[in-house]
């Protein structure tokens, strides 16, 4: 069955460092991979989309890589700030698909 | 441009009851998806509506049903509530379907089943 794996353990880093979150998937060939941020008790908020034919995407302090051979995406937040503390969700969608499927998310804590 | 709004924000029901959750999609969006998110888990896809028709369904039983109206707002109905139905129910609207279009989520409806 389709499976998305994100590190279930929380990631604790110091302010100013780069946070790197991992998303691995199996039994799936996504055309699109998205990253969302979710704060406690709130709905997810879209951050970045990367397509299967793209290797890397950047937006301000965020960078996403997509390796369809390894079936893996890495999500980087550079110069991290305490305000970046949240849960980050990886999501996949096929071309012409009707549903976006989500991983369980990784909780990030940035300490001042 | 208004965002996705959901109601009610919180509700408590007892086992066996029925519940209706409502969602107003973002202006101009014709696709609405519903997700169930249990504590500590990622959102699980329930179903999607496109132009008033169910377009796809996840692994949820028939007691989970929905509607989409001509103005693209939507309802999620759950019959014969079970304890495991306790979760955050999220509605997401999008402008395009199947093209990686970003999902715009509401803040969710927190359902507790006692």
């Amino acid at each position: 069955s389709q499976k998305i794996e994100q590190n279930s353990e929380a990631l604790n880093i110091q302010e100013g460092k780069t946070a790197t979150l991992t998303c691995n998937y199996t039994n799936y060939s996504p055309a699109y991979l998205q990253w969302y941020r979710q704060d406690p008790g709130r709905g997810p908020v879209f951050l970045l989309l990367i397509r299967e034919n793209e290797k890397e995407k950047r937006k301000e302090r965020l960078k996403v890589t997509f390796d369809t051979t390894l079936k893996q995406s890495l999500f980087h937040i550079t110069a991290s700030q305490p305000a970046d503390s949240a849960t980050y969700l990886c999501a996949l969608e096929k071309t012409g698909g009707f549903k976006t499927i989500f991983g369980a998310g990784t909780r990030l804590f940035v300490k001042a | 441009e208004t965002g996705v709004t959901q109601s009610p924000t919180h509700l408590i029901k007892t086992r066996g009851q029925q519940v209706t959750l409502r969602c107003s999609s973002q202006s101009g969006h014709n696709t609405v998806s519903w997700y169930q998110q249990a504590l500590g888990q990622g959102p699980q896809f329930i179903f999607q509506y496109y132009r008033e028709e169910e377009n796809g369904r996840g692994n949820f039983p028939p007691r989970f049903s929905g509607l989409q109206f001509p103005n693209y707002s939507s309802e999620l109905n759950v019959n014969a509530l079970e304890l495991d139905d306790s979760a955050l129910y999220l509605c997401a609207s999008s402008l395009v379907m199947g093209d990686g279009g970003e999902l715009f989520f509401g803040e969710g409806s927190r359902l507790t089943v006692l």
Side-chain angles (χ1 to χ4, degrees):
Chain A
S1 62
Q2 301 160 359
K3 199 172 180 182
I4 302 174
E5 290 182 346
Q6 295 186 252
N7 195 339
S8 58
E9 291 184 14
L11 179 62
N12 290 280
I13 65 167
Q14 202 66 34
E15 183 177 10
K17 300 293 186 183
T18 296
T20 299
L21 286 69
T22 304
C23 173
N24 295 294
Y25 59 92
T26 56
N27 297 324
Y28 205 75
S29 297
Y32 313 98
L33 189 146
Q34 301 176 354
W35 284 88
Y36 288 78
R37 169 187 172 136
Q38 187 173 27
D39 292 289
R42 308 290 298 273
V45 175
F46 172 82
L47 296 174
L48 277 171
L49 161 74
I50 187 165
R51 293 178 168 76
E52 61 178 337
N53 60 350
E54 297 175 318
K55 295 293 184 187
E56 184 179 297
K57 205 79 168 283
R58 291 174 185 261
K59 180 182 176 184
E60 297 173 353
R61 295 185 296 113
L62 308 180
K63 185 178 88 172
V64 172
T65 63
F66 192 9
D67 189 324
T68 55
T69 301
L70 290 178
K71 293 186 181 296
Q72 181 182 78
S73 174
L74 298 178
F75 177 77
H76 307 272
I77 305 175
T78 58
S80 59
Q81 305 165 0
D84 295 326
S85 299
T87 295
Y88 291 86
L89 299 164
C90 169
L92 308 177
E93 184 182 349
K94 291 183 179 179
T95 300
F98 58 83
K99 66 178 179 180
T100 300
I101 60 173
F102 285 82
T106 298
R107 189 84 169 92
L108 172 67
F109 293 96
V110 181
K111 291 181 283 189
Chain B
E1 182 178 274
T2 57
V4 176
T5 57
Q6 292 186 243
S7 63
T9 55
H10 295 82
L11 68 167
I12 299 173
K13 293 284 188 177
T14 56
R15 202 168 42 178
Q17 284 189 312
Q18 178 266 342
V19 68
T20 297
L21 307 178
R22 295 177 175 83
C23 171
S24 292
S25 60
Q26 183 144 327
S27 177
H29 288 187
N30 55 21
T31 303
V32 172
S33 302
W34 284 92
Y35 288 83
Q36 180 196 65
Q37 187 174 28
L39 209 58
Q41 302 297 314
Q44 298 296 308
F45 177 79
I46 303 175
F47 43 55
Q48 181 184 87
Y49 279 84
Y50 172 67
R51 293 186 175 178
E52 302 178 58
E53 296 209 358
E54 185 179 295
N55 184 58
R57 190 176 184 92
N59 191 25
F60 280 81
R63 59 189 185 83
F64 285 78
S65 64
L67 281 173
Q68 187 180 31
F69 300 100
N71 66 354
Y72 302 135
S73 65
S74 178
E75 284 183 357
L76 164 65
N77 299 288
V78 187
N79 293 323
L81 284 167
E82 301 176 359
L83 297 180
D84 285 349
D85 295 333
S86 295
L88 181 68
Y89 288 85
L90 295 162
C91 167
S93 73
S94 55
L95 185 56
V96 295
M97 182 181 63
D99 192 29
E102 68 178 274
L103 298 175
F104 292 80
F105 283 89
E107 299 292 20
S109 293
R110 171 72 64 188
L111 171 64
T112 301
V113 182
L114 302 176

